[in-house]
Amino acid sequence: MDESKTTALPQRELQHHGAPLTEQIVITHEDLDRAHDRERVQNIRTQRGLWSRARLLWLLVGPGILVMLGENDGPSMLSYAATGAHFGIGFFLPFVVLTFVMACVVQEMTVRLGAATHRGHAELIFDRFGPFWGWFSMIDLMVGNFLTLVTEFIAIRAGLGFFGVPPAVSVIGAWLVLFIALMAHRYWTWERITLVAAMFNMVFIPVALLSHPHWGAIGSALLTWKPLPGGLTQETVLILLSNIGATVTPWMLFFQQSAIADKGLTTHDIRFGRVDTILGATLAALAALATIVATAPLFAHGMSTSNFEAAEFAQALQPFVGHWGSALFALGMFEAGMVAAVTISTSSAYAFGEVAHRPHSLNLPFQQGKSFYLVLILEAAAAAGLVLIPGIPLVYIVLIVNVIAVLAMPPALLFLYMLVNDREIMGDLISPRWANSLALAVVVVLVAAGLLFGISVVAPHALALMGGK
């Protein structure tokens, strides 16, 4: 059988209003690949023992780890670096842990939605709320993703800049790597390659250890949420929102749900999807905390880092972590931008295909999924080109994009909340009361953060009063 083409099974007769109706079932290349993956899963399910359970987990994990480590992207890691440099070890360590707990709450809902419906997030919005909201959510996502992609190429450019790589070479080279990653035409292969790359996010942990952190101060900060040097200021609010936007963003909803559908997970796999998400959040949180700890010496020594990019952070850290530590920091920034560029552009392509009713799967050959691959490749190419414009304010763009992500999140969560509580599509997997309560708490935190940002812009002096000064 030629798997590059669709295959028509024999016709069968159905009854429709008393009259026979002939239906032809068409099996596509995408269906064959996904069925092959599911066959492997089912074969291992029949086996017993710890090793079989570990193999099953290995086959089913992926979307959760990718979405969490993908969210540890260029602007996120720069935000954490700026946090450590501006505030040291204190309030923001437990606050970042809280943001990853929020991310787990939100992404668990997408796991259930994807497994229960086998459809992507944009497709469900289109079907349940109509074409207007379907196209609106897709366009809103693609605009936000484009801005974020710009910041990913900023991180790639800055990270490789530490090693003396010219901006044009680093940005164009990264785009070519993204293009090559798609050539497998297989979701499983693409996912495993991207997972291996994503694990390099852990390089921030040895950098933190090389900075010889004060473990007592870290433990005290995690337990007491103190100190917060300078109190509640406009700069504090900007970093606070930037850290939330570094962890909870709209593209995550679209990517993980669509990836679960593309991977072929079923309702039997939901608990593995939860483990996948929690594991990804744990790894990403460790890398985020390590980045704050790694740059805390800059705060302790009173260094001004307000306009630092990734390469400048790496250079400034050299006296505290050595040449190898600085090189690892720069390499980590490059990895963060590269993995996020792959996953975020893929989420845009999924959303476009779902709303435009075009083929949308990484299991498709290029000719069959041409619109899917072109959206992915061209959006990344446009963002890469923008980064090469001379004089563009790179650091300001990085912080503002994270803030925009926070402000865009409550409407996205509203759609998610309504879908996951729609009994017609969820059946018995509808959200329990405790899950809805946690989701509501996340919305409250995000809205409160947005209001705080509004106050910091309109009435910055009011922050001093709120902070008790």
Side-chain angles (χ1 to χ4, degrees):
M1 180 184 298
D2 183 1
E3 293 188 358
S4 66
K5 301 177 181 178
T6 58
T7 303
L9 292 185
Q11 293 181 339
R12 63 177 181 176
E13 286 195 348
L14 302 174
Q15 292 296 316
H16 180 66
H17 298 302
L21 176 67
T22 301
E23 178 186 74
Q24 189 177 62
I25 302 173
V26 177
I27 304 299
T28 66
H29 181 286
E30 174 186 354
D31 295 324
L32 291 170
D33 282 345
R34 195 172 292 129
H36 176 71
D37 291 340
R38 295 308 303 172
E39 183 181 20
R40 283 195 297 173
V41 170
Q42 293 304 324
N43 288 339
I44 294 178
R45 279 193 197 283
T46 61
Q47 302 171 17
R48 295 189 177 185
L50 185 60
W51 174 242
S52 296
R53 304 303 290 175
R55 288 178 62 199
L56 183 60
L57 179 63
W58 164 246
L59 288 177
L60 294 176
V61 300
I65 296 176
L66 278 182
V67 81
M68 291 297 182
L69 290 180
E71 184 52 24
N72 263 16
D73 58 356
S76 297
M77 305 318 286
L78 282 173
S79 177
Y80 297 137
T83 300
H86 290 171
F87 298 98
I89 294 172
F91 169 83
F92 281 101
L93 287 184
F95 180 76
V96 166
V97 172
L98 174 64
T99 63
F100 278 101
V101 172
M102 291 164 55
C104 283
V105 170
V106 172
Q107 296 307 120
E108 187 275 339
M109 292 190 282
T110 70
V111 170
R112 280 186 286 124
L113 264 178
T117 65
H118 309 294
R119 289 187 288 174
H121 197 63
E123 184 178 356
L124 278 181
I125 292 174
F126 186 98
D127 289 346
R128 303 304 289 179
F129 304 112
F132 173 81
W133 290 113
W135 282 100
F136 174 85
S137 65
M138 187 271 290
I139 294 171
D140 181 58
L141 173 74
M142 291 188 71
V143 171
N145 279 2
F146 176 75
L147 292 174
T148 306
L149 277 171
V150 172
T151 67
E152 308 310 341
F153 284 102
I154 290 173
I156 290 168
R157 167 182 164 169
L160 292 182
F162 177 82
F163 302 100
V165 179
V169 174
S170 60
V171 170
I172 295 172
W175 181 83
L176 288 174
V177 169
L178 183 150
F179 180 80
I180 292 168
L182 301 172
M183 291 303 99
H185 301 147
R186 193 80 164 79
Y187 176 85
W188 168 264
T189 307
W190 174 89
E191 181 188 78
R192 297 297 122 164
I193 291 172
T194 311
L195 271 177
V196 170
M199 293 309 297
F200 279 92
N201 200 236
M202 297 297 104
V203 300
F204 291 100
I205 295 176
V207 179
L209 295 176
L210 288 171
S211 72
H212 306 292
H214 190 291
W215 297 107
I218 293 174
S220 176
L222 289 170
L223 292 174
T224 65
W225 292 62
K226 294 179 181 178
L228 181 58
L232 194 61
T233 65
Q234 194 170 24
E235 182 184 39
T236 306
V237 171
L238 181 62
I239 292 290
L240 187 144
L241 259 77
S242 185
N243 281 339
I244 296 175
T247 316
V248 185
T249 51
W251 79 265
M252 298 170 70
L253 311 180
F254 290 83
F255 174 81
Q256 188 167 4
Q257 187 174 331
S258 296
I260 282 174
D262 206 3
K263 191 179 176 73
L265 267 63
T266 69
T267 53
H268 298 293
D269 307 317
I270 288 177
R271 62 194 179 100
F272 286 99
R274 289 169 175 156
V275 171
D276 181 28
T277 302
I278 292 171
L279 178 59
T282 302
L283 292 172
L286 287 173
L289 296 180
T291 307
I292 295 175
V293 171
T295 56
L298 303 180
F299 168 78
H301 288 79
M303 296 185 66
S304 176
T305 60
S306 57
N307 294 313
F308 272 20
E309 297 176 22
E312 292 164 324
F313 270 115
Q315 290 161 359
L317 285 173
Q318 193 157 332
F320 310 106
V321 300
H323 175 74
W324 285 108
S326 297
L328 284 176
F329 188 92
L331 183 64
M333 285 294 178
F334 163 71
E335 173 279 331
M338 190 68 252
V339 170
V342 172
T343 52
I344 291 172
S345 55
T346 303
S347 75
S348 291
Y350 275 136
F352 175 81
E354 290 161 10
V355 171
H357 299 292
R358 305 289 296 174
H360 49 278
S361 172
L362 287 162
N363 284 317
L364 291 170
F366 185 84
Q367 286 301 319
Q368 291 183 23
K370 187 179 296 184
S371 60
F372 171 80
Y373 290 115
L374 284 177
V375 167
L376 196 162
I377 292 166
L378 293 178
E379 185 181 42
L386 190 62
V387 171
L388 295 177
I389 297 175
I392 189 169
L394 302 180
V395 176
Y396 183 74
I397 289 175
V398 166
L399 291 176
I400 291 301
V401 164
N402 274 357
V403 172
I404 291 172
V406 176
L407 301 179
M409 196 62 188
L413 280 178
L414 178 61
F415 281 122
L416 178 62
Y417 180 86
M418 290 190 290
L419 288 170
V420 85
N421 283 283
D422 188 334
R423 189 171 292 278
E424 187 175 340
I425 62 173
M426 293 298 293
D428 294 336
L429 292 174
I430 193 171
S431 273
R433 185 173 299 176
W434 64 266
N436 285 333
S437 299
L438 289 175
L440 179 62
V442 173
V443 172
V444 169
V445 170
L446 292 174
V447 171
L451 290 174
L452 197 60
F453 178 71
I455 292 171
S456 74
V457 173
V458 177
H461 296 295
L463 291 177
L465 296 176
M466 294 172 65
K469 291 189 178 183

